[in-house]
Amino acid sequence: MNSKDYRTTLGGVTPSPAWRERTLAAMEQAQGQKRPSRKPLAIAATAAVLALAVTGGMWLSGRTEVDPDGPGVARTPEPVVTPTPTAPQAWNESFSIVTDPSQLMGNNPTAGHLYELTELPVYQNPIPTERDQRAALQGLAADLGLTIANISDFTWRPSTGEDTMGRSPTLTAECTDGTKLRLEGFYSLDIYDSPDLAAVAETARSYLLYSAMTPQEMLSSSIVPPQTSQETLETYAYTGEADITQATFLLDPDATLEEQIYSYNFQRMELRNNGLTLYLQPGASVGTFPLRSPDDAQASFRAGDYWGSSFTYHPEDAQIIFVSLEYDISMGQPYFQPVYRILYIQDYWDGLIADWMFDGMDPSSFMGVGVAYVPAIAPEYQDEVPYQRYFNDGLAHHTPEELS
C-alpha cells in the first residue's frame, strides 16, 4: 500500500459520502444506535495542513492554553458558554481530531508578520498533457538519482470532473530499485515504496536546496547555499492512530516575507508513512493582487462564507485560535493563490468525539479543530483569479444559506 492510499484509509483523504453513509448504516445496525445522516462534506477530517500565527506564538482563545508544566499540552479552563446546537446539527458538523491545536500550527516563517503582507502574486496552474508529464517525470527522476525501469510502462490517467477540477492528470512509473513515482499535474510528485526512503529523502532535500540556486551560484564557492527548516504536523483517526507529517522547506531568514512564504509552500517536501511528497515551483505569475485584511477574512468565516472539509453551523460562536496566510497548492484549482487558513474550535465537539472514537479509546485525550479557508485576494479582484477548493466529488464551499 503506498503512502497516499494509506492516508486515504486513515482519513487523511476522507472516503466519499456514499461510502461513509453505507459505513454509518452498518455501524448503526451493529450497535443498535440510530444516527442522523450527514451532509456530503461532514467528516472528521485529518488533513495535515499548515498554520501561520496571527501573532507570534500567542493563543487567540481562552478555550485552550499552553500548560507551563508541559509545553504543547492542552488543558481546559472554565468552559466558555456558547449556544449548543441541536443533536442533528452537531452530528452534521466536521473537524480534525488532535490532542492539542499546536499539532496543526506548523512552523511557518511568517508567523508574527501576518498584517505586514498587503499584496501577493498569483501563479498559473496549467493542465499538462501526457507528453508534458512524461518529460517532466523523466527529468525529475534523473535529478533525484533514480532510473525509471521502462519508459513504455508509464501509466497515465487523465483528470475527470468539472473543467477546473481537471488540472491534475496523473503519471506513474516504477524505478529499477522498486521505487514508485507519481506526478500529479506539474507540481506534486509522490515518491513511495522505496527500499531506502531515508536516502531518497536526503536526495530530495538536496534537490530543494540546489533548485533554488542559479547555475552561476552553484559554481561559485562564495555563495552560501540556502538552508532548510522543518515542522511536524499530527492528526488522529477514529481509531486513535496518529497520522504524522514531517515537512522540510527552504528557509532564508534574509529573504523578503513574500519570498519566504513562496519557499514555504512551493519548495518543500513532506515525509509520511512509507513515502514522501515533493512540491515543485509553480507556473508563471499572472500578476500581484491586493489582499483582504485578516479581520475581513475572519468576518467572512463568521458569516458562514468559507471553504474546506470542516464545517460548523455556528461559525459566529466558534473560538478562533489561529489564523494563517499561505498558498493553497491543492491540484484542483486554476490558480495557486494565497488563502487565509482559520483554525477554530467549538466546546460541544468534545461530546461528539466521545461518541465517535472507537471502543477502548479515552476520548478525553482528543479534541476537535476545524479548518476554514477564505480567499486572501481582495474580493473585487476575485473574478480575475477565481478560487475553488474541492473535496470528495464536489466543491468544498460553505455559504450562509447552509446555516439557515
Side-chain angles (χ1 to χ4, degrees), residues 4-21:
K4 182 159 286 189
D5 293 337
Y6 184 75
R7 297 200 305 278
T8 299
T9 302
L10 289 185
V13 178
T14 309
S16 68
W19 182 95
R20 188 163 185 77
E21 291 298 328

Side-chain angles (χ1 to χ4, degrees), residues 191-215:
I191 306 172
Y192 54 97
D193 290 351
S194 172
D196 192 351
L197 185 60
V200 173
E202 183 55 35
T203 303
R205 178 181 177 275
S206 298
Y207 172 83
L208 287 178
L209 292 173
Y210 289 102
S211 65
M213 300 175 65
T214 66

Side-chain angles (χ1 to χ4, degrees), residues 157-217:
R157 178 180 59 80
S159 282
T160 57
E162 301 181 35
D163 290 342
T164 54
M165 194 176 184
R167 294 185 173 272
S168 55
T170 302
L171 183 68
T172 58
E174 184 170 347
C175 300
T176 54
D177 67 349
T179 299
K180 295 182 178 63
L181 305 175
R182 177 173 50 233
L183 181 63
E184 294 189 30
F186 267 139
Y187 308 115
S188 175
L189 176 66
D190 292 326
I191 306 172
Y192 54 97
D193 290 351
S194 172
D196 192 351
L197 185 60
V200 173
E202 183 55 35
T203 303
R205 178 181 177 275
S206 298
Y207 172 83
L208 287 178
L209 292 173
Y210 289 102
S211 65
M213 300 175 65
T214 66
Q216 293 77 13
E217 289 174 333

Side-chain angles (χ1 to χ4, degrees), residues 92-309:
N92 283 337
E93 297 192 359
S94 54
F95 45 82
S96 298
I97 299 174
V98 299
T99 59
D100 189 296
S102 64
Q103 292 166 333
L104 286 182
M105 291 177 185
N107 189 26
N108 193 303
T110 56
H113 305 283
L114 187 61
Y115 286 86
E116 298 176 18
L117 291 167
T118 59
E119 61 180 19
L120 281 173
V122 172
Y123 299 96
Q124 294 178 353
N125 181 20
I127 304 175
T129 65
E130 181 180 1
R131 181 178 180 179
D132 293 335
Q133 284 191 301
R134 281 176 173 264
L137 190 58
Q138 287 179 268
L140 287 167
D143 290 339
L144 296 171
L146 298 169
T147 302
I148 296 175
N150 192 338
I151 295 177
S152 63
D153 289 339
F154 277 128
T155 301
W156 187 74
R157 178 180 59 80
S159 282
T160 57
E162 301 181 35
D163 290 342
T164 54
M165 194 176 184
R167 294 185 173 272
S168 55
T170 302
L171 183 68
T172 58
E174 184 170 347
C175 300
T176 54
D177 67 349
T179 299
K180 295 182 178 63
L181 305 175
R182 177 173 50 233
L183 181 63
E184 294 189 30
F186 267 139
Y187 308 115
S188 175
L189 176 66
D190 292 326
I191 306 172
Y192 54 97
D193 290 351
S194 172
D196 192 351
L197 185 60
V200 173
E202 183 55 35
T203 303
R205 178 181 177 275
S206 298
Y207 172 83
L208 287 178
L209 292 173
Y210 289 102
S211 65
M213 300 175 65
T214 66
Q216 293 77 13
E217 289 174 333
M218 292 182 189
L219 295 173
S220 174
S221 59
S222 61
I223 298 296
V224 178
Q227 302 299 308
T228 59
S229 184
Q230 293 182 323
E231 62 185 7
T232 299
L233 303 146
E234 188 170 351
T235 56
Y236 292 82
Y238 296 127
T239 60
E241 189 166 2
D243 185 13
I244 300 173
T245 298
Q246 294 177 316
T248 300
F249 55 92
L250 291 189
L251 176 63
D252 181 357
D254 296 325
T256 66
L257 194 56
E258 177 184 315
E259 291 169 338
Q260 291 186 51
I261 197 171
Y262 178 95
S263 296
Y264 179 72
N265 290 275
F266 298 116
Q267 295 175 305
R268 67 181 288 118
M269 69 175 183
E270 295 178 352
L271 182 66
R272 57 174 71 83
N273 304 319
N274 68 330
L276 66 85
T277 299
L278 186 64
Y279 293 100
L280 308 171
Q281 297 184 48
S285 169
V286 297
T288 297
F289 295 85
L291 302 180
R292 70 200 307 173
S293 71
D295 297 332
D296 185 54
Q298 293 180 67
S300 179
F301 164 68
R302 294 287 192 195
D305 186 2
Y306 59 97
W307 297 74
S309 57

